Amino acid sequence: MTDIKTTQSKLTIIGTGMAGMAAAYFASKNNIDTTQIGVNSGIIYASGYIDLMGVHPIEDGKTWENPWQAIESLVSDIPNHPYARLDQPGIERAMDQFLEFMDELERPFIIRKNQNTEVITPVGMVKQTYGVPRSMWAGAVALKENRPCLIVDFWGLKAFSAKQIADMLTPRWPQIRSLRIPFPAVGPSADLYPEQMARSLEIESNRVQLAEALKQSLGDAKTLGLPAVLGIYKPEQIREHLEELLGVDIFEIPTIPPSVPGLRLKEAMETSITARGIRLLPQKRVLTAERQKSGRFVLSVGDRASGEIQHIIESDGVILAGGRFLGMGLHAGRKEIREPLFGLPVFQPKDRALWHQANFFDPRGHLINQAGLEIDDSFRPTDLAGKVVYDNLFAAGSILAHQDWMRQKCGAGLAIATAYGAVEAFKKML
Ligand SMILES: Cc1cc2nc3c(=O)[nH]c(=O)nc-3n(C[C@H](O)[C@H](O)[C@H](O)COP(=O)(O)OP(=O)(O)OC[C@H]3O[C@@H](n4cnc5c(N)ncnc54)[C@H](O)[C@@H]3O)c2cc1C
């Protein structure tokens, strides 16, 4: 049995996903004394793109070039969507500050202020996104301008096919072709994993070897697309080094999860948040939450598997950014969906039979993916009649109701914007 440590905190953030990390950054920017707790999150699975708003209505699959017009249309049709709690200048401030954070971390993104950009997915589809990692930008430009392009994959790397990507894109990008080669320093029969490849390309001699192998196959290609494995710690330097060696523009294409761009972001954000003074308790869960008569929250923190309590946090306010089912912020039981920590009311279909459509690929999506916490304009969870449950409890990210981020293509954008809204609301409470 370990000694149980007690920490006093002004703010506690539950969750280390995109919403929790963004909230921690905004809190640190405002010098708010903050503790953050969470286990692995959706970040390591994410492609690395920051979607702000791409598809509405989902049943029509209508895509939008202008994310602000998309949000305006969405909020007018779904007035209780979480984006409706912020105005456009608020969402812009959230995005601008978050992108400054990414620049600070040397994980730069490129945006076109009022425009989405078409980018390539791991399976060779094209989607609209808002923030494009600098390492993926040349792909968006080459796609738009139909530049001669070579896409390369490697023997032994599963679930990433340059041929499939090129075949999918050829109808709109006739100048694209594909190639498979061995990865430097491994034999053609070895299994390859993106993280291991990324670490290997941190070594200069492996990059030189890779460039040598690619040189003779470039032909007239002006742009080269590689799976997103260009290093963990210094992706920009690695990409620029390869560009120098080969004399073409190079871009990364996301691989299927877990993704190296996600891992890069997670590691960089955790290091920076801690350096900015946030008390981060990684790989821990909040096991119980209670509100004292004084209004302060008492959270017990520990290991989920053993249930052992290792830490008590006493906090003036809490931001709950626990995610939906993947993050385990919500629990889907046999009959109903619950919020397990505070016992908050959860908006959900009236009947279990309504959770899913009969057709898995139903263009309307599934109602279970609209379930979550209802909030007021200050991001405080309410009961189903609209009454605030606790005046010092806030919520952000995919745990919120009335959004289907995966189909609406607003995952990271919604997480960042609502995290900003929750921190701003907490500040007013101080
Ligand atoms: C496969 C995949 C691909 C994606 N691709 C994109 C993309 O291309 N573009 C885009 O914009 N977005 C994408 N996303 C979405 C994005 O990365 C985020 O997952 C999403 O925005 C939700 O973030 P979140 O922080 O709300 O939740 P989550 O990422 O689910 O994080 C929830 C966090 O809460 C923690 N938690 C829950 N309960 C507790 C507790 N009791 N105690 C402590 N911690 C707790 C979890 O451990 C976790 O850290 C993708 C996500 C996935 C899964």
Side-chain angles (χ1 to χ4, degrees), residues 76-154:
S76 142
D77 294 341
I78 310 174
N80 42 14
H81 190 283
Y83 270 144
R85 308 293 170 187
L86 291 150
D87 56 11
Q88 182 176 331
I91 302 173
E92 282 187 70
R93 273 195 301 282
M95 298 310 292
D96 289 350
Q97 289 185 19
F98 188 81
L99 294 171
E100 271 169 32
F101 180 37
M102 293 297 106
D103 285 344
E104 255 175 53
L105 301 184
E106 297 181 27
R107 300 286 178 272
F109 279 79
I110 296 182
I111 59 157
R112 300 188 298 164
K113 200 75 186 160
N114 295 318
Q115 244 179 302
N116 280 325
T117 298
E118 283 192 322
V119 289
I120 306 164
T121 72
V123 291
M125 312 261 286
V126 170
K127 77 163 190 175
Q128 297 275 7
T129 194
Y130 182 67
V132 183
R134 175 75 191 81
S135 68
M136 299 180 185
W137 182 252
V141 175
L143 169 71
K144 186 161 190 277
E145 297 180 358
N146 185 22
R147 290 191 185 173
C149 177
L150 177 67
I151 308 279
V152 172
D153 68 15
F154 300 95

Side-chain angles (χ1 to χ4, degrees), residues 28 32-35 272-280:
S28 72
I32 299 170
D33 172 75
T34 303
T35 307
S272 166
I273 290 296
T274 315
R276 295 176 74 96
I278 303 290
R279 264 175 246 105
L280 176 63

